[in-house]
Amino acid sequence: MPFVRIDALHADPARLAALGRAVHQALIDTIGIPPDDLFQVLTAHDGVTSTLRYDNFLGVQRDAGVVFVAIILRSGRPVERKQALYRRIAELAEEYAGTEPRNVVVTLTENEPADWSFGHGVAQYVE
């Protein structure tokens, strides 16, 4: 049940969709989410009326192809799985959307089962 936000500069609908597919497939491949567990917000920024700001933090030379991926998910996954997720997102973003891995910035925010409601005003993971 990850909730994913993807923000990209100058992305047309096809590129946004490809980025969404890349992140979703990476979550399936590395975290083991079910294929129908899809919750995403995909946003393109035109660089004029809305934009993304970035720099070359940690020596990574980013450019206008930058993509920010923010994932909220339940806590408990080991560091190795998170690292595998980051690698797989970068690989698939390049394969599906032509986004260079250096331009893929990923953040994970973890929470607990009681922090989710999937409808009807109910926290489905709370017993």
Side-chain angles (χ1 to χ4, degrees), residues 4 13 17 40 53 62 65 68 71 83 100 102 108 122 125:
V4 175
Q40 297 182 337
R53 297 188 71 192
R62 296 169 194 86
F68 294 157
I71 303 171
Q83 291 174 321
E100 295 180 51
R102 68 186 171 92
L108 297 181
V122 175
Y125 289 125

Side-chain angles (χ1 to χ4, degrees), residues 17-126:
L19 290 166
R21 283 193 314 276
V23 172
H24 189 64
Q25 188 62 51
L27 286 162
I28 292 168
D29 293 350
T30 62
I31 301 294
I33 68 164
D36 66 343
D37 190 355
L38 177 64
F39 299 92
Q40 297 182 337
V41 176
L42 311 174
T43 306
H45 299 267
D46 63 13
V48 177
T49 59
S50 69
T51 194
L52 301 177
R53 297 188 71 192
Y54 55 92
D55 208 337
N56 297 322
F57 185 64
L58 296 177
V60 180
Q61 302 296 311
R62 296 169 194 86
D63 61 28
V66 70
V67 174
F68 294 157
V69 178
I71 303 171
I72 302 170
L73 70 168
R74 287 192 300 177
S75 64
R77 288 159 181 99
V79 171
E80 297 78 22
R81 283 188 127 182
K82 293 175 185 180
Q83 291 174 321
L85 175 63
Y86 305 144
R87 279 190 303 274
R88 192 67 175 142
I89 289 171
E91 292 168 359
L92 292 177
E94 184 172 37
E95 180 180 334
Y96 293 5
T99 300
E100 295 180 51
R102 68 186 171 92
N103 279 323
V104 179
V105 178
V106 181
T107 62
L108 297 181
T109 303
E110 296 180 309
N111 61 22
E112 299 304 317
D115 298 321
W116 295 88
S117 172
F118 293 95
H120 300 293
V122 175
Q124 283 84 357
Y125 289 125
V126 175

